[in-house]
């Protein structure tokens, strides 16, 4: 699964440098030159994390962070603030409005990537070794094994990644496009019907133990994982 990051920064040179570093590290990126554009981009498709420059024209980065943390739709969005200023006061203000971390310019690409990964780990308790349980299913991210009771379910790597995504994002509907972004990455050209093919295979694997109903088709919208009865 690729992590998508929104870079909110008004200086094109820094934006490009950050994007280059993050894409090299395997993240997918979108860019916004100011807070207003960032809000539009987030409303369009919520990223997994936003990197927000403190000093932006118009609404500044700190007000943007405050606003995102206040709204239900975005309060869980991890935020990292970027700033040229390294004063302790700013750091405290940034963390007070709910930013998850703070990076002072100039920073090395390696440091940036390490901080992003650290913040993402905090938000993804299941990226560790513990098996993920939903309904009758147990998925072990370490051994890549999915079991239903005593039975091991046989599935390919793509079906495994799909199931991992669904089990960690249960009860939410995802469109084919969103699933393509999350599972295949937005830089890869894959047709939407590829998603249907893998959903079918995943259902077939689950069906062997009678759990194919966990993957639900939501007409006109996409797919949802639900282990509820
Ligand atoms: Ca700036």
């Amino acid at each position: 699964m690729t992590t998508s990051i929104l870079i909110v920064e008004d200086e094109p040179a820094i934006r490009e440098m950050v994007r280059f570093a993050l894409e090299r590290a395997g993240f997918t990126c979108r860019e916004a030159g100011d807070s207003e554009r960032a809000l539009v981009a987030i409303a369009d498709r919520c990223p997994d994390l936003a990197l927000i420059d403190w000093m932006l024209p118009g609404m500044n980065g700190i007000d943007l962070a405050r606003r995102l943390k206040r709204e239900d739709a975005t309060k869980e969005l991890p935020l990292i603030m970027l700033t040229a200023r390294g004063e302790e006061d700013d750091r405290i203000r940034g963390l007070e409005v709910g930013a998850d971390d703070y990076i002072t310019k100039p920073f090395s690409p390696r440091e940036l990537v390490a901080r992003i990964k650290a913040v993402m780990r905090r938000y993804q308790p299941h990226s560790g070794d513990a098996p993920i349980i939903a309904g009758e299913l147990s998925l072990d991210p370490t051994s890549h094994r999915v079991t239903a009771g005593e039975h091991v379910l046989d599935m390919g790597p793509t079906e495994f990644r799909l199931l991992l995504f669904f089990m960690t994002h249960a009860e939410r509907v995802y469109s084919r496009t969103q699933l393509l972004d999350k599972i295949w990455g937005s830089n890869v050209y894959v047709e939407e019907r590829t998603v249907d093919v893998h959903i079918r295979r995943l259902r077939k694997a689950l069906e062997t133990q009678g759990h194919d109903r966990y993957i639900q088709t939501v007409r006109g919208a996409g797919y949802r994982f639900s282990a509820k009865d």
Side-chain angles (χ1 to χ4, degrees), residues 9-11 53 55:
E9 162 68 79
D10 56 315
E11 287 159 75
D53 185 34
M55 299 297 284

Side-chain angles (χ1 to χ4, degrees), residues 2 4-5 27 30 34 39 48 51 63-64 107 110 112 116 120 145 148 157 178 180 184 206 209 211 223:
T2 52
S4 65
I5 297 180
F27 298 111
R30 285 185 297 155
D34 57 42
L39 288 168
D48 296 312
L51 272 180
D63 288 337
L64 173 62
F107 48 82
R110 184 186 293 205
L112 178 63
I116 290 173
M120 292 307 297
R145 182 175 282 191
Q178 285 173 320
L180 280 176
W184 282 266
L206 296 175
Q209 296 304 319
H211 300 312
Y223 294 103

Side-chain angles (χ1 to χ4, degrees), residues 27-104:
F27 298 111
T28 57
C29 299
R30 285 185 297 155
E31 299 175 17
D34 57 42
S35 295
E36 286 71 23
R37 287 193 182 91
L39 288 168
V40 171
I42 290 167
D44 178 44
R45 185 153 39 96
C46 196
D48 296 312
L49 182 143
L51 272 180
I52 302 175
D53 185 34
W54 186 289
M55 299 297 284
L56 292 169
M59 186 196 298
N60 69 28
I62 208 78
D63 288 337
L64 173 62
R66 189 178 287 128
R67 178 156 166 182
L68 291 170
K69 287 294 177 184
R70 221 175 24 214
E71 287 178 14
D72 273 352
T74 49
K75 67 180 178 207
E76 301 286 325
L77 172 64
L79 304 179
I80 297 180
M81 305 299 297
L82 298 177
T83 183
R85 298 183 291 182
E87 285 131 23
E88 197 62 16
D89 278 2
D90 289 351
R91 186 186 155 79
I92 291 164
R93 272 180 67 201
L95 297 176
E96 262 175 7
V97 299
D100 298 276
D101 204 353
Y102 186 96
I103 300 178
T104 307

